[in-house]
Amino acid sequence: MNAVSQQMNLSPINVKLDLDFNKVSQILIEENDEPLVELSQTDSQIKVVPVYAEQGIPGAISQCYVRQSVYLRLLNVASSLPACYTLVVLDSWRPTRVQQYLFDTFKESIRANNPLIGEAELLQKTQEFVAKPSSDVKSPSFHLTGGSVDVTLSDSDGQILDMGSLFDEGIPESHTAFLETKQELTHSECMAQTHRRCLYWAMIDQGFTNLDSEWWHYDFGNQLWAYYTGNKRAIYGPTSPKGYISE
């Protein structure tokens, strides 16, 4: 048993039920007005890599913001990891313009690879990896609430660990429990499974929920979190950083 196995809960990741976006959107939001915190100015325990800004996506911002309670929980996650691992935040609060760009781009990519696909199936496949953009106060995009965060792990040299698929890679292998469903794993898949389990349980233990189609996506306080935890109310609605002006 290696050092990581000795320090972490590496139980198998459970396969969840299918997500019902209609039920998610109907969950009531009682906004608690918690402020957003800029991660890059707070603590060196967490590595911040604003991936969409680095990719030059229109409207992307060069900082990562999360709600205050999300920040505190991320600190606890970072502290709970083995010394050889660092928590990496790739994206968090996300402007509607960026959400629209990601949604449209992924949707058209699916359409190009499946020219005969119907609109209903196209929407379903798109939403598997990119939520439909919305600034509706009753049903906002998850990242617009400051309660969603996209995370991964790096090693002691700062290199991003192998998680079995790339961040934002819209393939079945990106489903969080995908590696749990395979009968036989290669050595690299075994390592990726360990990394996923390590990240998953560290986040779950701090009250986050995971979007089962994306190993990197976790939530706290928003409607998706309420759906997975069975809460009747979400506490985060749409928000924006102080002084933010959309382009």
Side-chain angles (χ1 to χ4, degrees), residues 31-68:
E31 174 61 57
N32 70 355
D33 294 321
E34 211 174 83
L36 289 170
V37 175
E38 184 180 341
L39 284 174
S40 61
Q41 294 184 358
T42 51
D43 197 276
S44 58
Q45 286 181 276
I46 301 171
K47 182 177 181 180
V48 181
V49 182
V51 64
Y52 295 130
E54 293 192 357
Q55 292 174 0
I57 289 179
I61 59 176
S62 59
Q63 299 86 22
C64 285
Y65 295 92
V66 295
R67 297 281 190 143
Q68 189 171 48

